[in-house]
Amino acid sequence: MSRIFSLKFFLPGVFICGLLGLGFWQLSRYEEVSVIQKQFQATLNRPPTEFETLKTYTDFQPVIVRGEYLHYFEISLLAKTHQGRAGVVILTPLKLANGQIIAINRGWTPSPKGIQKPRGPVEVKGVLRNYLKDTGWFTPPNSKGAWHTMNYADLKSFWRHDLLPVYIAVDAPQDGLYPHLLTNLGKNDPQKHIHYALTWFALALALTIMTFFFLRKS
């Protein structure tokens, strides 16, 4: 009898622990997004700095950089959405005067065929971003014909140049492009993660109550 009781309690207990785990994970996400938002706002309010004068790279720091786009190495990151529309993000290497290159996230477009390709010296204004180390379990690997993530090692191998360890996201794109989601992290509301956490905790509480009455009835 006690064994049957234990089995009846085991499965609900697993689900309750899982729901609580999701709730605490959302609380940790709230802390992460809050830190990112504060960092974003603190750096974005600064005037842009000449990129060549930087000695250290700070995430979200506004910068100005000059060079020439290498359009023959341009990459379209697939399956990216903007305001509910499917499209691609244009990633173009910019060659600096010292021969190094830096990746420029030029923004989102529904089709790469409709964008302009500036030639000759250009001036780019945007924010510095660090490359993401974790691309997700379900993200396909990059290949020459299909790019899905901004993986630093893949880009450096493909472009075969001295690639800098940061990239620039253009926050006010031109040439037929729109801002990419990654440049708007500071506009994310961390409070939504509190709402998600409360939802998971409420489900855990409801399941706990249901389990209590079920076992009591049994």
Side-chain angles (χ1 to χ4, degrees):
M1 189 72 176
S2 61
R3 185 176 181 181
I4 295 176
F5 181 84
S6 299
L7 289 174
K8 288 182 178 180
F9 181 77
F10 176 74
L11 286 178
V14 170
F15 283 111
I16 291 170
C17 290
L19 292 171
L20 290 174
L22 289 171
F24 286 115
W25 173 68
Q26 286 297 334
L27 290 180
S28 68
R29 287 290 298 142
Y30 166 78
E31 295 293 337
E32 292 174 5
V33 174
S34 297
V35 170
I36 290 175
Q37 188 181 52
K38 290 178 182 178
Q39 182 184 13
F40 182 90
Q41 295 297 342
T43 56
L44 197 61
N45 291 331
R46 300 175 185 173
T49 304
E50 294 283 345
F51 178 77
E52 289 80 359
T53 65
L54 294 178
K55 296 182 179 179
T56 58
Y57 301 132
T58 303
D59 209 17
F60 300 120
Q61 180 174 2
V63 294
I64 299 176
V65 65
R66 298 172 182 83
E68 292 190 33
Y69 280 126
L70 305 179
H71 290 290
Y72 50 88
F73 277 133
E74 198 162 78
I75 289 173
S76 297
L77 298 178
L78 303 176
K80 305 300 179 183
T81 59
H82 176 70
Q83 297 180 348
R85 300 171 62 192
V88 298
V89 167
I90 302 300
L91 194 64
T92 311
L94 184 77
K95 187 175 182 180
L96 309 181
N98 61 6
Q100 291 182 309
I101 65 171
I102 185 169
I104 307 295
N105 180 338
R106 296 176 58 204
W108 177 92
T109 178
S111 172
K113 296 180 180 179
I115 66 170
Q116 301 176 22
K117 297 180 181 291
R119 305 290 178 180
V122 296
E123 180 180 273
V124 178
K125 296 181 181 180
V127 292
L128 281 184
R129 293 306 320 275
N130 293 318
Y131 285 95
L132 295 177
K133 296 181 180 179
D134 184 12
T135 57
W137 293 349
F138 303 103
T139 305
N142 292 322
S143 65
K144 290 184 179 180
W147 287 83
H148 302 275
T149 62
M150 295 182 62
N151 182 281
Y152 176 74
D154 292 344
L155 292 173
K156 189 173 183 179
S157 175
F158 177 65
W159 285 339
R160 301 191 304 274
H161 281 74
D162 186 8
L163 179 63
L164 290 164
V166 290
Y167 69 93
I168 295 176
V170 181
D171 201 32
Q174 300 175 353
D175 310 320
L177 294 155
Y178 300 87
H180 183 228
L181 180 63
L182 290 179
T183 67
N184 297 323
L185 284 175
K187 300 176 184 177
N188 283 351
D189 183 9
Q191 290 297 325
K192 67 181 181 181
H193 294 287
I194 295 293
H195 299 155
Y196 296 154
L198 291 175
T199 299
W200 291 121
F201 289 144
L203 290 173
L205 177 61
L207 184 57
T208 300
I209 295 173
M210 292 173 61
T211 302
F212 171 78
F213 283 108
F214 172 76
L215 293 176
R216 184 180 180 183
K217 184 177 180 181
S218 300

